[in-house]
Amino acid sequence: MSSRRPSRIVLLGAPGAGKGTVALGMVSLFGAPHLSSGDMLRAAVAAGNELGERVKGHMAAGQFVPDALILEVIRERVQHRDCRNDAGGVRYLLDGFPRTLVQAEAFAVDSKLAPQLVVHLKVNSDVIVGRLTGRRTCPNCGASFHVAFAPPAKTDACDHCGSGLIVRPDDHEDTIRRRLTAYELQTAPLIDYYADLLIEIDGGQGRDQVLADVIASLKPWDGETPVGANL
Ligand SMILES: [Zn+2]
């Protein structure tokens, strides 16, 4: 690994591994913006420019957005000031891309854009199934609860509007297991591909401990740079 503090970090982890939560915690500590591929694509469409129109064409047709186009969206997004570190280089905390080996190889072509560090949140499938099947959603106002971690005050009723809570089709166990298998097939090769950049974190722990482990794993680069200054 390089001795320079990494400023381009990719978060890898299965759906339900807690990438979003870890990203939020890291953003507030290190300042690099959290870029999620889904959010970036939606923002590009909302911006309505030529790039966004092309993304919209694929999404409206129910197609996957081609890898080259996703890379264009990322390249455009990192032009924004929040993605610039003090030295004028690119900084980001990226999740949702790359998902496949082909994407990772395309991403590696530009050495000023490619990740310098990959944080892998490892979580056992049964833990993820437990997390996701516990979710309850309000069909009326969209509020989200969890039977173990964020239970509603009244069982199966929304705290905000009183509607009956439901389990979304996406949160049924068979659906989750199918998504996890697909993730393993597509993304497991990335673990080997990024072996030299990889930090493995036990994502099955509580949220605070996961974040503490991520921060501890970044310690080797603290050096003279205070944490939070200019990752
Ligand atoms: Zn509600």
Side-chain angles (χ1 to χ4, degrees):
M1 274 181 202
S2 141
S3 58
R4 290 276 308 277
R5 176 181 266 279
S7 62
R8 301 188 299 274
I9 302 176
V10 162
L11 277 171
L12 273 187
K19 294 191 299 291
T21 309
V22 167
L24 266 177
M26 287 177 77
V27 163
S28 63
L29 282 160
F30 299 109
H34 172 212
L35 310 182
S36 110
S37 55
D39 290 348
M40 277 188 285
L41 292 174
R42 281 185 289 274
V45 170
N49 52 23
E50 183 268 339
L51 187 58
E53 287 299 318
R54 279 189 285 144
V55 172
K56 189 175 163 185
H58 291 281
M59 288 170 102
Q63 300 161 345
F64 283 113
V65 179
D67 295 345
L69 188 50
I70 301 178
L71 268 174
E72 265 191 82
V73 169
I74 295 174
R75 214 179 284 283
E76 195 279 326
R77 175 65 183 83
V78 300
Q79 302 300 320
H80 297 201
R81 181 182 291 272
D82 61 343
C83 286
R84 294 284 144 177
N85 65 19
D86 289 352
V90 172
R91 65 176 187 176
Y92 60 67
L93 195 57
L94 180 59
D95 92 61
F97 189 91
R99 279 184 211 275
T100 66
L101 199 52
V102 173
Q103 290 180 342
E105 285 167 352
F107 202 21
V109 169
D110 182 348
S111 63
K112 291 191 167 64
L113 187 66
Q116 297 164 303
L117 189 73
V118 175
V119 175
H120 178 213
L121 290 179
K122 270 182 91 156
V123 187
N124 181 292
S125 299
D126 293 333
V127 172
I128 291 181
V129 168
R131 284 180 182 173
L132 298 185
T133 53
R135 286 210 293 221
R136 298 291 180 273
T137 307
C138 174
N140 180 47
C141 74
S144 167
F145 303 88
H146 192 283
V147 291
F149 308 128
K154 255 177 70 189
T155 308
D156 291 335
C158 177
D159 285 358
H160 308 290
C161 69
S163 301
L165 299 177
I166 57 160
V167 179
R168 294 186 320 159
D170 273 2
D171 295 337
H172 286 289
E173 176 163 353
D174 51 346
T175 312
I176 295 166
R177 297 245 180 230
R178 267 200 303 276
R179 282 167 65 207
L180 289 175
T181 304
Y183 168 83
E184 284 295 330
L185 284 172
Q186 268 199 333
T187 311
L190 293 185
I191 308 300
D192 290 334
Y193 179 80
Y194 284 129
D196 292 345
L197 308 179
L198 201 70
I199 286 176
E200 297 265 15
I201 300 290
D202 175 5
Q205 314 171 94
R207 175 168 55 186
D208 292 347
Q209 189 57 50
V210 171
L211 198 54
D213 284 2
V214 171
I215 292 161
S217 71
L218 294 170
K219 283 276 185 232
W221 289 282
D222 273 356
E224 67 274 23
T225 311
V227 169
N230 65 342
L231 177 76

